[in-house]
Amino acid sequence: MRIVKQTSLYVVLTALSLVLFFPMLYAFSASFMSAQEVLLGHFLPSTLHFENYLQAFQDVPLFRFLINSIFISLVVTFGVLAVSSMAAYAFVFLDFKGRKLLFVLFISTMMIPWEASMIPNFVTVQQLGWINRYAGLTIPFFASAFGTFLLRQYFKTIPKEMQEAAQIAGIGHFRFFMNVVLPVSKTSLVTLGIYTFLTTWNAYLWPLLTTTDELVRPLQIGLRQLQSQETVNEWGVVMAAVMVVAVPTLIVLFIGQKHLQKGLTDGALK
Amino acid sequence: MAMERAQVERTGGLPATVAREKLFRRILGRQPAAWLYLMPSLILFAVFVFYPLFKTIYLSFFLSDMKGLPTVFIGLDNYVRLFSSPEFIQSAGSTLLFVLYTVPATIIIALILALLANEKLKGIGFFRTIFSSSMGISVAASSVVWLFIFNPSAGILNRILSLFGLRGINWLADPNWALFSVSLTTIWLHLGFTFLILLGGLQNIDEHLYESANIEGAGYFYQLRRITLPMLSPTLFFVITVSMIDAFQTFGQIDLLTKGGPGNSTNLIVYSIYQKAFINFDFGSASSAVVVLFFCILLVTALQFKFGERKVHYQ
C-alpha cells in the first residue's frame, strides 16, 4: 500500500513538474534552434545553434545590460540592507518619543502601491538629472518598510541581556549594532537580500520609464528592446536572450530557496 | 545610556548644560541617536512615497500642459471625465475580470502543489524547487516565452491543437481570447511565489494535530478540511490579498504581450495609466486614475487587516 501511494505521488509530482517547467524547457530548446526549425515547429534542435547566443549579444548590447542589471541589483540589495537594518535597530533597541506612531507610519507605506507615487517620482528623478543614471534606478528603492518589518521581527528575538551587557561593557550603540546585532541576524539579512535582489532584477515599469538609452538600461528592458527589433523569424535569438535574463535569478532562487521560504513565511505571518 | 551620562559628566555638568540636555531629551526622547538610525528611511519615504502620494492627489485636480505640469484647477472634473469615459469603464471591467481569472486559479493550483510538496518523500526538495521556479523568472522573460508559445504559426499551443485536428487560435490578437491568454501567463508567473508562501504555512502547522487525528483514524480529506485548511487560513488570507494587489498592478505582461489590445480588451488599469501619463503626457487625468487605483488597493488591504488580523498571531 505504502509503495503504491509513494509511486503514484512521484508520478503526479513528476508530471506536474514537467507541465510547470515546460515553458522554460521549450524556450531553452528553442534557443538552440535555427529560424527554420522554429518555424517548422520542432521541439528539439537537430544541431545546437550556439550562434543564437552570439547573435543576441551582437544585436543589442546584452553584455552591457547584464552588467547593469547585476550592478543595480547589488546596489539596491546592499542599500536596502543598510537602511532597513538601521531603522529596525532604532525600533527595537532605542527608546525614543513617538516610536509606536512612527512604526505605524512605516507600515502604512506598505499599503501605498508603488504606482501611486510613480508620476511625481518620475518628475523628481527628472529634475534631479537622474534619468539614464544608476542613481535613479537605485536610490528611490533603498527604504523598505517590508525590510524594516522583517528585520525588526528578528531583532526582537535577540535577548535584552545582550544589550545590557554591552552597555555595562561601555560598548556604544553603533558598535553593538555592527558587531553583535548584524552578525547574529545573518539569516534574516540573507533572506531580505535574496528577496530584494530578485525583485530589483525583475523590475520592469520603473526602468522602462527612466532609461531612454542603452547606457544604464537593465536586462529586462533590453529584452523588450531586442524582442521589438527582431524580425518574426528570429525566435531562436530571442529565446537565447531570455535564457541570459532568466538563468542568473533562477540560480539565486535555487540556492536561496530554503532561506527565502522561511523568511517570507515568517514575515507574512508574524 | 551609559555613554550619554559619561558625556554629561565630562562637559562639567553645568546647570545650564544639564537644563539644555533635559529639554533636548524631552523633545527627542531618551535616545536621540534613534533619529540618526531612522533618518535615511524617513528622508527616502518622505521624498519617494509621501510627497508623491499627496502630489498625485493634488495633480488629479488640475489640467496639465504638454510637459505634464499642472495648469488650471478644475476640481473633480478629471474624476467626472474618468467615470464617464467608456475606455476607463472598460479598463476597470477588464481589470476586475482579470482578478477573477487569475487569483482563484493561482491559489487553488498553488495549494494543490503545496499539499503535494509537503509530503515527506525522498527528493522532495527537487520538486519544491521546480514548483517555486517561476518566482525566479522575471515578468519580461516569461512574457517573451509565452509570446513564443502563443505565436499563431510557430507556437506550441496551436501545434498541439492541430495534432487534434482543431483550428489554431489567435491567442493574443483575438479579443475573445487575449485576456484569457494574458491571465494564463500571469497564473504561471505567480504560481512560484504563492506556492512558496503556502508551503511555508503548511510546514508551520503543528505535527501533533495530525498525530492525534491519525490515532482516531480520520481520513486524508477529513484532516484537510478540519485541520489543514483552518490552520492555514491566515496564510491563505495573506496570499489572497497579495495576489489581488499583484493583479491590480499588472503591467509587464500587458506591455510585452498585447500592448492593451486588441480593441482595448487587455488594457488593464496600470497600463492605461501608463499610456495616459507617459505616452499622452496627461498627468492630471492619469493621476485621477491612480487615485482610484490607490483606493481600490487600500480597500483590499483594509479587508485583509479587518478579517485577517483576528486569526493571525502576532508576537
Side-chain angles (χ1 to χ4, degrees):
Chain A
M1 243 339 256
R2 240 182 88 82
I3 290 176
V4 174
K5 194 192 153 203
Q6 275 200 353
T7 321
S8 49
L9 252 170
Y10 277 121
V11 171
V12 172
L13 285 167
T14 312
L16 285 171
S17 300
L18 281 175
V19 172
L20 284 174
F21 212 58
F22 176 77
M24 287 321 278
L25 291 176
Y26 184 42
F28 182 68
S29 171
S31 74
F32 293 105
M33 286 187 210
S34 69
Q36 205 191 357
E37 279 175 313
V38 173
L39 281 184
L40 288 172
H42 288 195
F43 183 66
L44 289 171
S46 51
T47 50
L48 296 181
H49 290 266
F50 283 104
E51 60 269 26
N52 286 341
Y53 285 82
L54 286 177
Q55 183 82 44
F57 277 91
Q58 276 164 9
D59 287 356
V60 290
L62 206 58
F63 187 69
R64 174 87 211 186
F65 298 157
L66 184 68
I67 299 292
N68 286 340
S69 271
I70 293 172
F71 180 73
I72 293 164
S73 306
L74 283 178
V75 170
V76 174
T77 302
F78 284 102
V80 165
L81 289 179
V83 172
S84 317
S85 62
M86 280 170 70
Y89 183 83
F91 281 124
V92 176
F93 292 103
L94 295 170
D95 182 29
F96 60 95
K97 252 200 179 141
R99 180 157 82 169
K100 278 210 177 108
L101 189 76
L102 212 57
F103 187 66
V104 171
L105 190 78
F106 265 59
I107 293 299
S108 72
T109 66
M110 285 208 265
M111 286 189 230
I112 302 171
W114 185 81
E115 287 76 10
S117 37
M118 168 174 76
I119 295 170
N121 277 346
F122 177 75
V123 177
T124 306
V125 164
Q126 208 174 27
Q127 281 166 350
L128 288 168
W130 285 357
I131 300 289
N132 292 321
R133 294 281 180 280
Y134 288 120
L137 292 163
T138 51
I139 293 171
F141 300 98
F142 281 2
S144 159
F146 172 73
T148 309
F149 187 62
L150 193 83
L151 293 178
R152 171 183 169 269
Q153 295 306 110
Y154 193 81
F155 289 178
K156 275 168 80 173
T157 65
I158 298 172
K160 283 275 173 231
E161 287 79 16
M162 274 170 102
Q163 192 189 7
E164 282 158 20
Q167 275 170 0
I168 292 164
I171 292 171
H173 275 301
F174 192 65
R175 269 182 63 204
F176 178 64
F177 171 59
M178 292 296 281
N179 298 344
V180 180
V181 175
L182 290 186
V184 301
S185 314
K186 217 162 61 194
T187 10
S188 319
L189 292 171
V190 170
T191 306
L192 180 60
I194 295 169
Y195 177 80
T196 310
F197 188 92
L198 288 177
T199 30
T200 312
W201 182 277
N202 293 340
Y204 187 82
L205 180 50
W206 184 249
L208 178 67
L209 298 178
T210 56
T211 62
T212 52
D213 65 30
E214 292 169 349
L215 199 67
V216 301
R217 180 169 289 170
L219 267 179
Q220 311 303 330
I221 311 305
L223 184 61
R224 179 190 199 252
Q225 184 189 341
L226 178 76
Q227 192 268 322
S228 63
Q229 76 187 42
E230 265 331 310
T231 46
V232 195
N233 297 336
E234 293 293 349
W235 282 110
V237 179
V238 177
M239 289 305 121
V242 165
M243 286 299 132
V244 176
V245 177
V247 165
T249 35
L250 276 178
I251 293 171
V252 172
L253 182 74
F254 289 168
I255 296 171
Q257 189 225 345
K258 273 208 184 111
H259 261 307
L260 201 61
Q261 183 202 332
K262 202 188 161 315
L264 288 181
T265 320
D266 288 354
L269 296 182
K270 280 175 189 163
Chain B
M1 273 301 285
M3 260 182 61
E4 280 163 32
R5 211 173 298 136
Q7 222 154 17
V8 175
E9 275 156 26
R10 234 179 290 133
T11 50
L14 291 168
T17 327
V18 175
R20 210 185 313 144
E21 196 84 10
K22 267 189 184 160
L23 182 74
F24 203 56
R25 278 193 198 173
R26 204 160 46 201
I27 298 168
L28 292 173
R30 284 197 302 141
Q31 282 164 323
W35 295 98
L36 276 177
Y37 287 83
L38 290 167
M39 203 46 78
S41 294
L42 288 177
I43 292 174
L44 287 164
F45 280 144
V47 176
F48 293 110
V49 180
F50 291 114
Y51 157 74
L53 178 65
F54 291 109
K55 182 81 182 185
T56 303
I57 297 172
Y58 172 84
L59 283 174
S60 74
F61 297 128
F62 283 84
L63 276 179
S64 41
D65 62 15
M66 290 303 285
K67 280 184 187 159
L69 297 172
T71 51
V72 184
F73 178 82
I74 50 166
L76 292 172
D77 268 14
N78 278 327
Y79 293 93
V80 173
R81 246 179 278 166
L82 195 66
F83 283 107
S84 53
S85 101
E87 286 90 36
F88 180 76
I89 301 298
Q90 193 190 5
S91 175
S94 303
T95 308
L96 286 181
L97 212 55
F98 179 77
V99 171
L100 220 61
Y101 284 169
T102 56
V103 176
T106 309
I107 288 168
I108 290 168
I109 299 170
L111 181 62
I112 293 171
L113 293 177
L115 287 169
L116 287 168
N118 197 31
E119 297 285 332
K120 286 180 191 63
L121 286 174
K122 238 190 198 152
I124 197 74
F126 170 77
F127 295 108
R128 287 179 185 167
T129 307
I130 295 293
F131 291 167
S132 61
S133 64
S134 74
M135 199 191 156
I137 301 165
S138 66
V139 178
S142 43
S143 300
V144 173
V145 169
W146 281 90
L147 198 62
F148 179 40
I149 292 174
F150 287 133
N151 188 284
S153 53
I156 189 100
L157 276 184
N158 278 356
R159 299 256 159 213
I160 294 173
L161 286 182
S162 76
L163 280 184
F164 293 100
L166 294 168
R167 260 222 338 240
I169 293 169
N170 226 335
W171 298 97
L172 296 169
D174 183 337
N176 296 319
W177 284 96
L179 193 64
F180 170 82
S181 308
V182 174
S183 304
L184 195 63
T185 310
T186 307
I187 293 169
W188 182 79
L189 190 61
H190 288 173
L191 270 181
F193 175 78
T194 316
F195 161 79
L196 214 55
I197 300 284
L198 287 177
L199 181 64
L202 286 175
Q203 287 174 340
N204 275 352
I205 299 175
D206 193 349
E207 283 291 318
H208 298 297
L209 291 171
Y210 294 105
E211 277 164 24
S212 42
N214 276 331
I215 292 167
E216 286 169 28
Y220 179 79
F221 287 99
Y222 185 83
Q223 291 186 19
L224 182 69
R225 217 157 24 105
R226 286 302 170 89
I227 302 173
T228 312
L229 290 183
M231 292 305 287
L232 196 63
S233 64
T235 318
L236 273 172
F237 214 90
F238 170 78
V239 161
I240 293 170
T241 313
V242 172
S243 305
M244 280 176 76
I245 293 174
D246 263 2
F248 276 124
Q249 292 176 300
T250 300
F251 176 81
Q253 300 95 298
I254 306 296
D255 186 49
L256 283 159
L257 291 173
T258 61
K259 301 235 178 280
N264 272 336
S265 62
T266 60
N267 198 357
L268 302 189
I269 187 151
V270 174
Y271 196 75
S272 76
I273 291 170
Y274 163 77
Q275 285 181 322
K276 276 192 182 64
F278 297 105
I279 292 175
N280 305 331
F281 280 92
D282 186 355
F283 281 6
S285 147
S287 295
S288 61
V290 168
V291 173
V292 173
L293 172 71
F294 172 62
F295 280 108
C296 289
I297 291 179
L298 205 62
L299 186 73
V300 174
T301 327
L303 287 176
Q304 145 85 4
F305 270 86
K306 189 158 162 40
F307 296 106
E309 189 91 342
R310 248 179 283 154
K311 297 167 192 156
V312 185
H313 305 287
Y314 283 92
Q315 271 189 338

Coordinates of all heavy atoms in Angstrom, one line a residue, chain A residues 164-205:
Chain A
E164 N 22.1 44.8 27.5 CA 22.5 45.3 28.9 C 24.0 45.1 29.1 O 24.7 45.9 29.6 CB 21.7 44.6 29.9 CG 20.3 45.3 30.1 CD 19.3 44.3 30.7 OE1 19.7 43.4 31.4 OE2 18.1 44.5 30.5
A165 N 24.5 43.9 28.7 CA 25.9 43.5 28.8 C 26.7 44.5 28.1 O 27.8 44.9 28.5 CB 26.1 42.1 28.4
A166 N 26.3 44.8 26.9 CA 27.1 45.7 26.0 C 27.2 47.1 26.7 O 28.2 47.7 26.7 CB 26.5 45.8 24.6
Q167 N 26.0 47.5 27.3 CA 26.0 48.8 27.9 C 27.0 48.9 29.1 O 27.8 49.8 29.3 CB 24.6 49.2 28.4 CG 23.8 49.8 27.3 CD 22.4 49.9 27.6 OE1 21.9 49.5 28.7 NE2 21.6 50.4 26.7
I168 N 27.0 47.8 29.9 CA 27.9 47.7 31.0 C 29.3 47.7 30.6 O 30.1 48.4 31.2 CB 27.5 46.5 31.9 CG1 26.2 46.7 32.5 CG2 28.6 46.2 33.0 CD1 25.6 45.4 33.1
A169 N 29.6 47.0 29.5 CA 31.0 47.0 29.0 C 31.3 48.3 28.3 O 32.4 48.4 27.8 CB 31.1 45.8 28.0
G170 N 30.4 49.2 28.3 CA 30.7 50.5 27.7 C 30.8 50.5 26.2 O 31.4 51.3 25.5
I171 N 30.1 49.5 25.6 CA 30.1 49.5 24.1 C 29.0 50.4 23.6 O 27.8 50.3 24.0 CB 29.9 48.0 23.6 CG1 31.1 47.2 24.0 CG2 29.6 48.0 22.1 CD1 31.0 45.7 23.8
G172 N 29.3 51.3 22.7 CA 28.3 52.2 22.1 C 27.3 51.5 21.2 O 27.5 50.4 20.8
H173 N 26.3 52.3 20.9 CA 25.2 51.7 20.0 C 25.7 51.2 18.7 O 25.4 50.2 18.2 CB 24.1 52.7 19.8 CG 23.1 52.7 21.0 ND1 22.4 51.5 21.3 CD2 22.7 53.6 21.8 CE1 21.6 51.8 22.3 NE2 21.8 53.0 22.7
F174 N 26.5 52.1 18.1 CA 26.9 51.7 16.7 C 27.8 50.5 16.7 O 27.6 49.6 15.8 CB 27.7 52.9 16.1 CG 27.9 52.7 14.6 CD1 26.8 52.7 13.8 CD2 29.2 52.5 14.1 CE1 27.0 52.5 12.4 CE2 29.3 52.3 12.7 CZ 28.2 52.3 11.9
R175 N 28.7 50.3 17.7 CA 29.5 49.1 17.7 C 28.6 47.8 18.1 O 28.8 46.8 17.5 CB 30.6 49.2 18.7 CG 31.9 49.8 18.1 CD 33.0 49.9 19.1 NE 33.4 48.6 19.6 CZ 34.0 48.4 20.8 NH1 34.3 49.5 21.5 NH2 34.4 47.3 21.2
F176 N 27.6 48.0 19.0 CA 26.7 46.9 19.3 C 26.0 46.5 18.1 O 25.8 45.3 17.8 CB 25.8 47.4 20.4 CG 24.8 46.3 20.8 CD1 25.2 45.2 21.4 CD2 23.4 46.6 20.7 CE1 24.3 44.2 21.8 CE2 22.5 45.6 21.0 CZ 22.9 44.4 21.6
F177 N 25.5 47.5 17.3 CA 24.8 47.2 16.1 C 25.6 46.5 15.1 O 25.2 45.4 14.5 CB 24.3 48.6 15.5 CG 23.7 48.5 14.1 CD1 22.6 47.8 13.9 CD2 24.2 49.3 13.1 CE1 22.0 47.8 12.6 CE2 23.7 49.3 11.8 CZ 22.5 48.5 11.6
M178 N 26.8 47.0 14.8 CA 27.7 46.4 13.8 C 28.3 45.0 14.2 O 28.3 44.1 13.4 CB 28.9 47.3 13.5 CG 28.4 48.6 12.8 SD 27.7 48.3 11.1 CE 29.2 48.1 10.2
N179 N 28.7 44.9 15.5 CA 29.5 43.7 15.9 C 28.6 42.7 16.5 O 29.1 41.5 16.6 CB 30.6 44.1 16.8 CG 31.6 45.1 16.2 OD1 31.6 45.2 15.0 ND2 32.4 45.7 17.0
V180 N 27.4 43.0 17.0 CA 26.6 42.0 17.6 C 25.3 41.7 16.9 O 25.1 40.6 16.4 CB 26.3 42.4 19.1 CG1 25.4 41.3 19.7 CG2 27.6 42.6 19.9
V181 N 24.5 42.8 16.7 CA 23.2 42.6 16.1 C 23.3 42.1 14.7 O 22.6 41.1 14.3 CB 22.4 43.9 16.2 CG1 21.0 43.8 15.5 CG2 22.2 44.3 17.6
L182 N 24.0 42.7 13.8 CA 24.1 42.3 12.4 C 24.6 40.9 12.3 O 24.0 40.1 11.6 CB 24.9 43.3 11.6 CG 24.2 44.7 11.3 CD1 25.0 45.5 10.4 CD2 22.8 44.5 10.8
P183 N 25.7 40.5 12.9 CA 26.2 39.1 12.7 C 25.2 38.1 13.2 O 25.1 37.1 12.5 CB 27.5 39.1 13.6 CG 28.0 40.5 13.7 CD 26.7 41.3 13.7
V184 N 24.5 38.3 14.3 CA 23.6 37.2 14.8 C 22.3 37.2 13.9 O 21.6 36.2 13.9 CB 23.2 37.3 16.2 CG1 24.4 37.3 17.2 CG2 22.3 38.6 16.5
S185 N 22.1 38.2 13.1 CA 20.9 38.2 12.3 C 21.2 37.8 10.8 O 20.4 38.2 9.9 CB 20.3 39.6 12.3 OG 20.2 40.1 13.5
K186 N 22.3 37.2 10.6 CA 22.7 36.9 9.3 C 21.6 36.2 8.4 O 21.4 36.6 7.3 CB 24.0 36.0 9.3 CG 25.0 36.3 8.2 CD 26.4 35.7 8.5 CE 26.4 34.2 8.6 NZ 27.6 33.7 9.2
T187 N 20.9 35.2 9.0 CA 19.9 34.5 8.2 C 18.8 35.5 7.7 O 18.5 35.4 6.5 CB 19.2 33.5 9.0 OG1 19.5 33.6 10.4 CG2 19.5 32.1 8.6
S188 N 18.3 36.4 8.5 CA 17.3 37.3 8.1 C 17.8 38.3 7.0 O 17.2 38.6 6.1 CB 16.7 38.1 9.2 OG 16.6 37.4 10.3
L189 N 19.1 38.7 7.2 CA 19.7 39.6 6.3 C 19.8 38.9 4.9 O 19.6 39.5 3.9 CB 21.1 40.1 6.8 CG 21.0 41.0 8.0 CD1 22.4 41.2 8.5 CD2 20.4 42.3 7.7
V190 N 20.2 37.6 4.9 CA 20.3 36.9 3.7 C 19.0 36.8 3.0 O 18.8 37.0 1.8 CB 21.0 35.5 3.9 CG1 20.9 34.6 2.6 CG2 22.4 35.6 4.3
T191 N 17.9 36.4 3.8 CA 16.6 36.3 3.2 C 16.2 37.6 2.5 O 15.8 37.6 1.4 CB 15.5 36.0 4.3 OG1 16.0 34.9 5.0 CG2 14.2 35.8 3.7
L192 N 16.3 38.7 3.3 CA 15.9 40.0 2.7 C 16.8 40.3 1.5 O 16.3 40.9 0.5 CB 16.1 41.1 3.8 CG 15.7 42.5 3.4 CD1 14.3 42.6 3.0 CD2 16.0 43.5 4.5
G193 N 18.0 40.0 1.6 CA 18.9 40.2 0.5 C 18.5 39.5 -0.8 O 18.4 40.1 -1.9
I194 N 18.2 38.2 -0.7 CA 17.8 37.5 -1.8 C 16.5 38.0 -2.4 O 16.3 38.2 -3.6 CB 17.6 36.0 -1.5 CG1 18.9 35.3 -1.0 CG2 17.0 35.2 -2.6 CD1 18.7 34.0 -0.4
Y195 N 15.5 38.3 -1.5 CA 14.3 38.8 -1.9 C 14.4 40.2 -2.7 O 13.9 40.4 -3.8 CB 13.3 39.1 -0.7 CG 12.0 39.7 -1.0 CD1 11.0 38.9 -1.6 CD2 11.8 41.0 -0.8 CE1 9.8 39.5 -1.9 CE2 10.6 41.6 -1.2 CZ 9.6 40.8 -1.7 OH 8.4 41.4 -2.0
T196 N 15.3 41.0 -2.1 CA 15.5 42.4 -2.8 C 16.2 42.2 -4.1 O 15.8 42.9 -5.1 CB 16.3 43.3 -1.8 OG1 15.8 43.2 -0.5 CG2 16.4 44.7 -2.3
F197 N 17.2 41.3 -4.1 CA 17.9 41.1 -5.4 C 17.0 40.6 -6.5 O 17.0 41.2 -7.6 CB 19.0 40.0 -5.2 CG 19.9 39.9 -6.4 CD1 21.1 40.7 -6.5 CD2 19.6 39.0 -7.4 CE1 21.9 40.5 -7.6 CE2 20.4 38.9 -8.5 CZ 21.6 39.7 -8.6
L198 N 16.1 39.7 -6.2 CA 15.2 39.1 -7.2 C 14.2 40.2 -7.6 O 14.0 40.4 -8.8 CB 14.4 37.9 -6.6 CG 15.1 36.6 -6.4 CD1 14.2 35.6 -5.8 CD2 15.7 36.1 -7.7
T199 N 13.6 40.9 -6.7 CA 12.6 42.0 -7.1 C 13.3 43.1 -7.9 O 12.7 43.5 -8.9 CB 11.9 42.6 -5.9 OG1 12.7 42.6 -4.8 CG2 10.6 41.9 -5.6
T200 N 14.5 43.5 -7.6 CA 15.1 44.5 -8.3 C 15.5 44.0 -9.7 O 15.3 44.7 -10.7 CB 16.4 45.0 -7.6 OG1 16.1 45.2 -6.2 CG2 17.0 46.3 -8.2
W201 N 16.1 42.8 -9.8 CA 16.4 42.2 -11.1 C 15.2 42.2 -12.0 O 15.3 42.4 -13.2 CB 17.0 40.8 -10.8 CG 17.5 40.2 -12.0 CD1 16.7 39.4 -12.9 CD2 18.8 40.1 -12.5 NE1 17.5 38.9 -13.9 CE2 18.8 39.3 -13.7 CE3 20.1 40.6 -12.1 CZ2 20.0 39.0 -14.4 CZ3 21.2 40.3 -12.8 CH2 21.2 39.5 -14.0
N202 N 14.1 41.9 -11.4 CA 12.9 41.7 -12.2 C 12.1 42.9 -12.5 O 11.1 42.9 -13.2 CB 12.0 40.6 -11.6 CG 12.6 39.2 -11.6 OD1 13.5 39.0 -12.4 ND2 12.2 38.4 -10.7
A203 N 12.5 44.1 -11.9 CA 11.7 45.3 -12.0 C 11.5 45.6 -13.5 O 12.5 45.4 -14.3 CB 12.4 46.4 -11.3
Y204 N 10.4 46.2 -13.9 CA 10.1 46.4 -15.3 C 9.7 47.9 -15.6 O 10.3 48.6 -16.4 CB 9.1 45.4 -15.7 CG 8.8 45.5 -17.2 CD1 9.6 44.8 -18.1 CD2 7.8 46.2 -17.8 CE1 9.4 44.8 -19.5 CE2 7.5 46.3 -19.1 CZ 8.4 45.5 -20.0 OH 8.1 45.6 -21.3
L205 N 8.6 48.3 -14.9 CA 8.0 49.6 -15.3 C 8.9 50.8 -15.0 O 9.1 51.6 -15.8 CB 6.6 49.8 -14.5 CG 5.8 51.0 -14.7 CD1 5.7 51.3 -16.2 CD2 4.5 50.9 -14.1

